[in-house]
Amino acid sequence: NAGVTQTPKFQVLKTGQSMTLQCAQDMNHEYMSWYRQDPGMGLRLIHYSVGAGITDQGEVPNGYNVSRSTTEDFPLRLLSAAPSQTSVYFCASTLGSGAPYEQYFGPGTRLTVT
Amino acid sequence: GQQVMQIPQYQHVQEGEDFTTYCNSSTTLSNIQWYKQRPGGHPVFLIQLVKSGEVKKQKRLTFQFGEAKKNSSLHITATQTTDVGTYFCAGPKSGAGSYQLTFGKGTKLSVIP
């Protein structure tokens, strides 16, 4: 199993550009989520999905959209990039039933918005 | 809203010294998880604690969950350079499913050889 994969690893955008961060998992996990990590801020939940076709907002959803058309994929879309969205983005998945509820993280995408 | 606080934010230790990080939640938690993130890497799950007063050990790491299920600690005995990284605790968001986690801001551990 590849686990959780994310592309791209690095990205530089100009203010106002849009892009999609890709996330895929091959563990048949029901639950997937997107976090952003900023220095000294820990991990903050952007959006999450409890299964295909079901998504919801997390703590910091503004400026981001998600969709979940399949169990495997959970892309994150930046609609109009802003410098405040410069961050490291992590996608994570968890089985979604039973314990432990450990989350498996992808390697991250380092995004810079100029 | 729910807050998960960790102290200290940074810790520098000499190799061989012990290290402890503390995690406090503003609400009672159904469980608490600990993750480790190496520099430049991604968070990796270490352990989950579920029961009040639970203590679990992984080699030199000891994890505790408080009796009131609002605090937790991670203690590393005789630190090694391989312990370098940031340690995060995380608890399920109040009123939500167990999969929505609120993370602490982490404790960054540096080990001086």
Side-chain angles (χ1 to χ4, degrees):
Chain A
N1 286 354
V4 180
T5 57
Q6 290 184 240
T7 56
K9 284 186 168 39
F10 301 94
Q11 183 70 51
V12 178
L13 288 179
K14 294 186 177 179
T15 298
Q17 288 184 318
S18 62
M19 78 159 295
T20 299
L21 279 61
Q22 301 292 344
C23 173
Q25 53 90 11
D26 60 359
M27 298 175 283
N28 202 31
H29 284 177
E30 287 297 317
Y31 186 88
M32 297 184 74
S33 52
W34 275 102
Y35 295 90
R36 62 177 288 172
Q37 184 175 38
D38 303 295
M41 295 296 294
L43 292 146
R44 293 183 291 171
L45 183 64
I46 304 172
H47 284 285
Y48 65 95
S49 168
V50 298
I54 306 169
T55 64
D56 208 344
Q57 296 180 352
E59 180 186 354
V60 288
N62 292 342
Y64 308 95
N65 271 357
V66 292
S67 59
R68 184 101 179 265
S69 56
T70 66
T71 299
E72 293 79 19
D73 300 299
F74 191 43
L76 177 73
R77 279 182 280 278
L78 278 70
L79 309 173
S80 177
S84 60
Q85 293 178 304
T86 293
S87 188
V88 181
Y89 292 85
F90 289 103
C91 178
S93 73
T94 191
L95 183 58
S97 61
Y101 302 108
E102 62 178 290
Q103 298 208 1
Y104 294 81
F105 284 82
T109 294
R110 283 158 174 75
L111 175 69
T112 302
V113 183
T114 61
Chain B
Q2 178 188 41
Q3 292 185 33
V4 176
M5 294 150 287
Q6 269 186 268
I7 56 169
Q9 190 174 0
Y10 301 97
Q11 185 78 57
H12 304 274
V13 299
Q14 204 74 32
E15 189 173 16
E17 290 182 339
D18 292 356
F19 159 76
T20 305
T21 174
Y22 300 91
C23 179
N24 290 285
S25 171
S26 58
T27 59
T28 301
L29 300 171
S30 58
N31 68 80
I32 193 158
Q33 300 178 21
W34 285 91
Y35 291 79
K36 177 183 178 181
Q37 184 178 25
R38 287 199 161 97
H42 58 276
V44 175
F45 175 82
L46 293 176
I47 207 161
Q48 177 177 282
L49 304 172
V50 179
K51 298 177 183 176
S52 169
E54 189 170 14
V55 178
K56 286 189 176 180
K57 292 189 176 183
Q58 290 180 350
K59 297 183 180 178
R60 295 178 294 103
L61 278 61
T62 302
F63 303 84
Q64 292 188 334
F65 200 10
E67 294 290 341
K69 302 183 75 173
K70 295 183 73 174
N71 57 11
S72 182
S73 65
L74 158 59
H75 179 82
I76 303 178
T77 304
T79 54
Q80 300 175 359
T81 54
T82 54
D83 296 324
V84 164
T86 302
Y87 293 85
F88 294 97
C89 62
K93 183 180 176 184
S94 298
S98 291
Y99 316 113
Q100 287 187 58
L101 296 180
T102 299
F103 280 80
K105 293 184 180 180
T107 296
K108 187 173 182 179
L109 173 64
S110 299
V111 178
I112 306 162

